[in-house]
Amino acid sequence: METVVSGIRSTGKLHLGNFYGAVRNFVQMQKEYNCYFFIADYHSLTTHPTPADLHGNVKQVLVEYLAAGIDPETATIYIQSDVPEIAELYLYLNMNAYLGELERSTSFKDKVRAHPDNVNAGLLTYPVLMAADIIIHKATKVPVGKDQEQHLEMARTFGNRFNRMYNVDYFPEPYAFNFTEKLVKVPGLDGKGKMGKSEGEGNAVYLSDEPEAIRKKVMRAVSDAGPTEENQAKPEPIQNLFDLMKIVSSSDTYNHFDNLYNKMQIRYGDFKKQLAEDMIIATSPIREKIHDISNDHTYLRKVARLGAEKARESASKTIREVREIIGFKSF
Ligand code: TYM
């Protein structure tokens, strides 16, 4: 059976981008593959969370994973920092990761632009840690959104380089995949690009948002004065809202509003109202489960312990073999 590994950075609540980009498919995948889903809390240290924020955010993601339907008995759900073998593999891979290639990564360049005051080495080597996350379980499939494609290419580079360096055929090549369709990019509500936590307040709809909050955000989403010609191409903010509707609404609903747009009869108020209601329908069952699970500390502790045990079993086998390949020997 092929192995799947995927993670979410523990920097806050899950939004619709995380859900439709990755998490929704985890639920089906766990039935067909040997799945490892984890909470990337080592990665979150690049942005310097306080100890209280760190723990709260890890818990939030764990709760939301479970609320979205991941089954801790079928899949392995764990917290990255519970598996120190990952940090060890990251150290080894760092010896063969070169400054030039790390500096060329798009996400690194974006981060440098956004936070010039915090260009730390962890940020630079973020793709190396991600490669370690994946290849520690010898995964071949990595469910992620479109934004992670380049990181997967780097994971293949680091795994292949290890193989070549030691003349072994040890790590298989991991590829980004989405299980049912091609990789997804969920747009945000601000009219310019993807939904994300760091793109500003109001851009993201969270799984835990109350219906009223969703209505408010969607009604405030960036749009324009309306189409001026029949069948015209949609400008980015409008295309983004239609893309969101394609994700959360039925095809009948989508076609209805698409026709109205093409005939220049669309009323954005009605369009947004429908979009918000369909987002509420999609998120409500998860939101209700989030409330139930977040107070069940005994259950959460049990899940985290079980996951750490299963993940360490797989990771420590890899580390034992990697140490041998590298040439570490006990006296
Ligand atoms: P993160 O935490 O930014 O996002 C988690 C997952 O959600 C997807 N995603 C999106 N997909 C579509 N549209 C969007 N607007 C959108 N926003 C987020 C991401 O593609 C991702 O699948 N580096 C990773 C976490 C990570 C990881 C790993 C993932 C660490 N190690 C190993 C896979 C395997 C990240 O920051 O994702």
Side-chain angles (χ1 to χ4, degrees):
M1 196 192 277
E2 277 186 276
T3 297
V4 162
V5 168
S6 195
I8 305 265
R9 232 172 337 138
S10 58
T11 38
K13 305 170 283 188
L14 301 192
H15 51 68
L16 291 181
N18 301 133
F19 183 68
Y20 288 102
V23 179
R24 183 179 55 156
N25 294 317
F26 291 177
V27 176
Q28 293 300 323
M29 261 173 235
Q30 66 192 354
K31 298 185 187 138
E32 293 182 30
Y33 298 107
N34 179 25
C35 288
Y36 293 89
F37 301 129
F38 71 96
I39 300 153
D41 58 347
Y42 283 150
H43 278 104
S44 78
L45 296 181
T46 55
T47 54
H48 302 164
T50 64
D53 283 348
L54 180 73
H55 181 72
N57 285 336
V58 168
K59 181 187 161 197
Q60 180 89 25
V61 180
L62 179 62
V63 166
E64 297 192 1
Y65 262 161
L66 296 166
I70 300 181
D71 174 5
E73 302 285 337
T74 314
T76 299
I77 310 182
Y78 62 98
I79 295 146
Q80 188 184 30
S81 63
D82 279 342
V83 186
E85 289 81 2
I86 296 167
E88 186 171 339
L89 183 58
Y90 165 60
L91 183 147
Y92 301 148
L93 295 178
N94 265 327
M95 304 301 166
N96 312 319
Y98 296 99
L99 184 60
E101 63 190 340
L102 296 172
E103 280 176 336
R104 279 195 298 277
S105 132
T106 330
S107 64
F108 178 68
K109 286 195 274 193
D110 288 348
K111 291 273 158 55
V112 171
R113 224 172 287 126
H115 306 283
D117 52 329
N118 182 26
V119 184
N120 61 66
L123 213 50
L124 182 72
T125 56
Y126 187 108
V128 186
L129 180 54
M130 196 163 148
D133 290 328
I134 297 165
I135 67 179
I136 194 122
H137 301 299
K138 297 182 149 189
T140 48
K141 290 184 150 45
V142 186
V144 282
K146 188 118 187 78
D147 58 317
Q148 298 294 321
E149 223 168 6
Q150 194 184 32
H151 285 155
L152 263 296
E153 193 184 323
M154 294 174 87
R156 288 193 291 279
T157 301
F158 300 138
N160 284 335
R161 196 172 287 156
F162 179 94
N163 289 348
R164 257 198 323 277
M165 184 132 183
Y166 296 105
N167 199 20
V168 288
D169 187 13
Y170 187 69
F171 289 119
E173 286 193 322
Y175 283 89
F177 100 133
N178 182 265
F179 195 61
T180 48
E181 60 232 71
K182 53 183 179 22
L183 299 187
V184 178
K185 176 187 153 192
V186 179
L189 295 173
D190 62 1
K192 22 172 227 278
K194 73 166 182 166
M195 186 173 286
K197 285 175 268 224
S198 40
E199 324 295 323
E201 200 35 51
N203 173 54
V205 171
Y206 296 98
L207 299 180
S208 55
D209 275 348
E210 295 292 335
E212 210 33 57
I214 297 181
R215 286 189 193 106
K216 265 202 191 124
K217 284 183 192 175
V218 176
M219 295 317 279
R220 284 189 194 142
V222 176
S223 59
D224 62 12
T228 51
E229 277 171 50
E230 290 202 352
N231 300 314
Q232 73 175 56
K234 299 180 181 90
E236 192 182 359
I238 306 303
Q239 184 63 51
N240 286 355
L241 295 178
F242 270 94
D243 286 350
L244 283 166
M245 183 170 261
K246 192 163 237 163
I247 293 169
V248 296
S249 306
S250 71
S251 51
D252 284 352
T253 303
Y254 177 88
N255 291 337
H256 170 72
F257 285 101
D258 194 40
N259 280 333
L260 289 178
Y261 187 87
N262 288 335
K263 290 193 280 184
M264 294 172 34
Q265 289 168 0
I266 192 159
R267 287 160 46 155
Y268 287 146
D270 297 343
F271 171 57
K272 287 178 167 178
K273 220 178 260 168
Q274 181 70 48
L275 179 59
E277 291 314 308
D278 288 335
M279 284 180 174
I280 292 166
I281 291 172
T283 52
S284 282
I286 303 175
R287 190 184 66 252
E288 283 157 20
K289 283 196 205 124
I290 291 173
H291 287 306
D292 295 345
I293 299 170
S294 55
N295 293 322
D296 196 344
H297 290 280
T298 317
Y299 177 61
L300 292 174
R301 193 177 314 118
K302 209 175 103 195
V303 168
R305 285 203 183 147
L306 173 70
E309 199 180 299
K310 289 201 281 180
R312 285 197 80 176
E313 198 179 307
S314 151
S316 58
K317 177 170 183 289
T318 302
I319 285 297
R320 249 192 334 271
E321 292 167 354
V322 163
R323 283 175 149 262
E324 203 168 295
I325 292 169
I326 292 178
F328 288 120
K329 274 193 186 140
S330 44
F331 284 90

